[in-house]
Every structure is written in structure tokens, then in C-alpha cells.
Amino acid sequence: FSAFVLVIITDRRRLYRKRSILKNVISDNGDHARFKLDTVQRNLEVIKNGQILAAPIMKFPTETIQALQMEVIDILDANKNQAISALLYWMTAIDLQLEKATSKAEQVVALELRDPENPEKQYLYTEFKVILQESEKNLIYLLEMIDHYVSGKPHKVLEHTHP
């Protein structure tokens, strides 16, 4: 019987440890979001100088967060679980936006090499800028939500409104 109790206690400790790891991974993604925000802001500055950077931006490791969430779902309250789902949604959406921005930048660079006077270039350039501006807004929003979650206020993530 005591061995059975020991197994249960050990399993519970592992779950709580994984929940702690999940919080740390979310916090690390806050750092990742800050780097992305810095990159987006630098790209917006470069655009002001009439240049464009077509470098891809590393994605958020949403699969890792999702896997950890599923492992500890039994010990997460509804607010934490829903907050994590909201964070995952925004991380995925931002990654898609930044992929789109990279694609537009690549199109502009390719067009610049083929035909510098092509009028479509300005349209793509403007689209690139608009996508970056929206990404900047969304990254700031995501950072606020991550700060709420990490500071132990998952309900604030759910109450937070997009600008």
C-alpha cells in the first residue's frame, strides 16, 4: 500500500513540476516575443530609409506549450487552461502574419532585381509595411497577456481586449 501511495505522490509532484515548467516556457516565449517585436520595429525603421529586409523570423514553439498543457490539463483551472489557449492562438496568428510579411518582402526584393520601375513594387512594399505595423500591435498585445499569465493573473489574459 505504501508503495502505491508513493507512486501517486511522485506522479503528482511530476505534474506540478511540469506545470511550473509550462509557466517558465510561457515566460521564455515572452522573451522571444520581445525579440520579435524588436525585429519588427527595426524593419519598420529600415522601411523609413527606403530599404527592405527579407529575413525570416523564428516561430514560437507552440507545439511545446501545447504538449505541456495537455500533460498538466488535469491540474490547471479553467482560467489557466483558457489563457494558455488564448496565448497559443495569438502566437500562431503572429507567426502567420510574420510569414506573410517575409513573403511580401521577398516579392519586393525579387521585383526590385527584375524590374525596379514596376508599379506593383510600391503596392507590395505598402502591404509589407501594413503587415509589420499590425504585427507590432499584436506582439505588444501578446506581451501584455504573457505578463498577466506569468504574474499569476490568467483571468486578466481572458479579460484583455485587443487594441
Side-chain angles (χ1 to χ4, degrees), residues 2-69:
S2 60
F4 177 71
V5 171
L6 184 61
V7 168
I8 291 174
I9 291 171
T10 303
D11 285 347
R12 259 333 208 193
R13 285 182 54 216
R14 281 189 191 128
L15 281 177
Y16 283 98
R17 178 158 164 52
K18 284 183 181 180
R19 184 179 69 181
S20 175
I21 291 169
L22 175 60
K23 185 177 177 180
N24 290 339
V25 169
I26 290 170
S27 178
D28 289 348
N29 276 279
D31 294 337
H32 188 161
R34 282 183 211 23
F35 290 128
K36 282 186 180 210
L37 179 59
D38 184 52
T39 300
V40 166
Q41 289 170 337
R42 274 190 275 123
N43 270 303
L44 287 168
E45 282 299 314
V46 168
I47 287 173
K48 288 178 185 175
N49 298 328
Q51 299 173 334
I52 196 163
L53 299 173
I57 299 172
M58 190 171 82
K59 291 184 174 188
F60 289 108
T62 53
E63 301 83 22
T64 303
I65 296 170
Q66 220 164 17
L68 283 167
Q69 179 188 20

Side-chain angles (χ1 to χ4, degrees), residues 4 6 35 41 68 74 86 89 103 111 130-131 133 146 148 163:
F4 177 71
L6 184 61
F35 290 128
Q41 289 170 337
L68 283 167
D74 293 343
Y89 168 82
S103 173
L111 204 53
V130 168
I131 293 169
Q133 289 168 333
I146 288 173
H148 288 312

Side-chain angles (χ1 to χ4, degrees), residues 79-132:
N79 280 339
K80 285 183 182 172
N81 193 37
Q82 291 171 358
I84 293 168
S85 294
L87 293 172
L88 288 168
Y89 168 82
W90 282 101
M91 287 177 192
T92 302
I94 290 166
D95 281 341
L96 290 172
Q97 270 185 323
L98 293 174
E99 273 183 33
K100 197 181 208 181
T102 300
S103 173
K104 295 291 177 200
E106 289 169 349
Q107 290 173 353
V108 170
V109 168
L111 204 53
E112 179 71 35
L113 293 173
R114 277 195 326 267
D115 182 10
E117 301 303 317
N118 190 321
E120 185 183 352
K121 185 178 82 171
Q122 189 57 42
Y123 172 75
L124 291 170
Y125 197 79
T126 302
E127 267 192 335
F128 175 67
K129 182 178 177 183
V130 168
I131 293 169
L132 285 180

